[in-house]
Amino acid sequence: MPVLQAAGREGNGYTWEGIARLLVAEHLSHAADQLEYDSESGMLAVYSSNRGALEALGVLMRDLYRSPARLGALMTSVDPDFFDD
């Protein structure tokens, strides 16, 4: 994704995990301890027995993906060392 590359990110599973963690911290902090991450370089994986939290995160991720301007703004607001990619 060009917006991720412009921010110096790989755009791999670890990048998307970092984005997911940011969204959870900002919008779903009440469910943060119920989500488990197991991403790889080629995929984002989030597990939980709380289906509502997963669905809410899915909506947040979808909406961010569909808005390159919002995604770009998020990427420039975060310390680059936050990401593991």
Side-chain angles (χ1 to χ4, degrees):
M1 231 182 145
V3 69
L4 295 177
Q5 293 170 341
R9 305 276 45 104
E10 297 280 330
N12 60 23
Y14 301 116
T15 301
W16 287 104
E17 179 178 321
I19 292 167
R21 288 178 182 273
L22 289 169
L23 291 172
V24 167
E26 186 175 334
H27 300 284
L28 299 170
S29 60
H30 63 279
D33 62 341
Q34 298 172 32
L35 298 170
E36 296 181 41
Y37 302 86
D38 189 22
S39 299
E40 299 290 335
S41 62
M43 69 168 197
L44 163 67
V46 185
Y47 302 92
S48 179
S49 59
N50 182 339
R51 183 177 178 149
L54 288 171
E55 289 175 350
L57 177 57
V59 168
L60 291 169
M61 296 286 290
R62 178 200 64 203
D63 292 348
L64 190 63
Y65 182 83
R66 290 180 177 174
S67 176
R70 281 186 54 222
L71 181 55
L74 175 73
M75 297 306 292
T76 59
S77 71
V78 177
D79 179 350
D81 292 334
F82 176 80
F83 294 94
D84 286 335
D85 65 348

